[in-house]
Amino acid sequence: MEHGEYTVGWICALPTELAAAVAMLDERHNPLPQDSHDHNNYTLGRIGVHNVAIACLPSGVTGTTSAAIVASHIRSTFPSIRFGLMVGVGGGAPSAKNDIRLGDVVISKPDGTSGGVIQYDFGKTVQEGRFVRTGSLNRPPTVLLSAVNTLQARHRMDEPELTKYLADMTLKYPKMQEDGTYPGPQHDQLFEAQYNHQEDDDTCASCDRVHMVSRSIRSDGDSAVHYGLIASGNQVMRDGVTRDRLRRELDVLCFEMEAAGLMDDFPCLVIRGICDYADTHKNKRWQPYAAAVAAAYAKELLCVIPANQVVRTRAIGETNAQACE
């Protein structure tokens, strides 16, 4: 394989997300040489008919700027990349309208004037201390949005392939058995927004169940897929009241920390497995499963995109150069 044969750039931020991404490959390829200025560590392989270059953010370094740097290196090392996928975990913003549960998947999708991702912490403070968000981010490429519509339609008729891909992952990598196993509704606890976590540990054993939000148990236990706006910023969202306020103001489904650094210079779709509710009760119990189910959706998406559609899509470098003319 050569650099020019890779057309998909897959970015993740955490080791658990990287492991899930690599586990979804149908075939792994040998490493290729890269420029000394490119500090990314790539895993190369194939999913379906597409050759994929996977890169992870540096250990302990998150946020929009770090994601933008990783994306710029992918573009320079693999000049034929047509589009990107930002795949990993995120904090859900459930509501009466959107019954988001832990282990669900949220996909960025344009709505109105937004391209699918809103940088909620970018703007200016005006009179009376009001914060006004400025600017907008680009939407994902048409080839990805078409594939999203195809999957939405398919999932109305048939079950998603997520469970199958997770089973394949655990069969191929037995050590990932726990990552691919749904933790169970007993560990999915949503508390009232204003009720804070009671102890400095990783469980909610000391939290008062009186303040839990009552929700019906899903009969099938499968992960649901939600499509809509994703909020992106440089700080971890860990407050239920702020989460709900921004959910109402921006009509977002989840919160994450990297996508806003990518959308304008690295056209991509954002895929987030929900691992917490972006409040003080967040912990890492659901991270491996949420990362795996997000990666499984990314694989299902790539498998519905024909190779000729990708070939007809301009490489990211060509698109950016044309925009600057």
Side-chain angles (χ1 to χ4, degrees):
M1 300 296 295
E2 298 180 356
H3 295 85
E5 296 180 79
Y6 291 87
T7 56
V8 179
W10 181 317
I11 297 178
C12 45
L14 302 172
T16 50
E17 299 169 352
L18 176 60
V22 174
M24 291 298 151
L25 293 174
D26 295 320
E27 176 183 271
R28 289 182 68 169
H29 299 158
N30 293 327
L32 291 174
Q34 59 197 73
D35 188 277
S36 60
H37 298 293
D38 182 354
H39 301 299
N40 291 345
N41 194 312
Y42 297 103
T43 301
L44 307 177
R46 175 182 58 81
I47 292 179
V49 296
H50 308 290
N51 291 324
V52 183
I54 302 173
C56 188
L57 271 60
S59 178
V61 182
T62 57
T64 58
T65 301
S66 181
I69 293 172
V70 169
S72 69
H73 290 321
I74 292 179
R75 291 201 317 267
S76 62
T77 298
F78 299 95
S80 296
I81 295 290
R82 261 58 175 183
F83 56 78
L85 299 174
M86 182 73 220
V87 187
V89 299
S95 65
K97 176 183 175 183
N98 297 295
D99 182 26
I100 296 173
R101 307 285 180 102
L102 301 185
D104 283 359
V105 185
V106 173
I107 314 301
S108 65
K109 188 174 183 181
D111 182 22
T113 59
S114 173
V117 174
I118 297 176
Q119 188 170 3
Y120 67 89
D121 58 355
F122 182 77
K124 59 184 179 180
T125 302
V126 295
Q127 289 179 328
E128 299 177 353
R130 288 189 302 111
F131 183 74
V132 178
R133 290 167 195 87
T134 57
S136 60
L137 300 170
N138 289 338
R139 68 173 197 169
T142 300
V143 63
L144 288 175
L145 295 178
S146 296
V148 165
N149 272 347
T150 297
L151 279 192
Q152 274 192 275
R154 180 176 295 183
H155 293 168
R156 292 182 69 88
M157 300 179 288
D158 303 309
E159 291 298 320
E161 297 285 330
L162 306 180
T163 303
K164 174 185 180 298
Y165 291 141
L166 292 178
D168 291 345
M169 178 188 78
T170 57
L171 185 63
K172 190 174 182 180
Y173 300 98
K175 286 187 67 175
M176 299 185 74
Q177 180 70 43
E178 187 174 342
D179 295 18
T181 302
Y182 177 69
Q186 70 274 21
H187 299 299
D188 184 354
Q189 300 169 346
L190 173 63
F191 288 90
E192 297 166 351
Q194 66 275 12
Y195 180 72
N196 290 325
H197 187 62
Q198 296 303 296
E199 296 289 345
D200 188 20
D201 59 26
D202 288 337
T203 72
C204 285
S206 300
C207 294
D208 192 342
R209 298 299 189 271
V210 171
H211 296 284
M212 281 182 58
V213 177
S214 177
R215 300 178 295 175
S216 60
I217 297 177
R218 286 182 181 167
S219 57
D220 54 13
D222 290 339
S223 298
V225 182
H226 309 267
Y227 299 87
L229 301 181
I230 291 177
S232 183
N234 273 310
Q235 293 184 338
V236 176
M237 177 58 64
R238 196 167 185 167
D239 179 72
V241 174
T242 305
R243 174 203 67 203
D244 280 1
R245 175 177 60 81
L246 290 172
R247 173 184 56 75
R248 291 190 298 269
E249 290 178 3
L250 305 176
D251 194 25
V252 295
L253 300 180
C254 79
F255 292 84
E256 58 92 78
M257 294 180 61
E258 287 81 32
L262 302 176
M263 303 306 294
D264 286 345
D265 297 315
F266 192 75
C268 66
L269 187 74
V270 184
I271 302 169
R272 292 295 182 185
I274 301 304
C275 67
D276 59 62
Y277 290 118
D279 58 12
T280 58
H281 304 277
K282 67 185 293 148
N283 59 61
K284 297 182 179 181
R285 177 192 291 271
W286 284 79
Q287 270 194 9
Y289 180 79
V293 76
Y297 179 93
K299 179 168 185 171
E300 186 173 4
L301 182 84
L302 288 176
C303 287
V304 303
I305 302 177
N308 62 347
Q309 284 189 6
V310 176
V311 171
R312 291 198 300 265
T313 303
R314 287 181 178 272
I316 291 177
E318 295 177 10
T319 305
N320 292 344
Q322 187 180 49
C324 293
E325 291 178 355

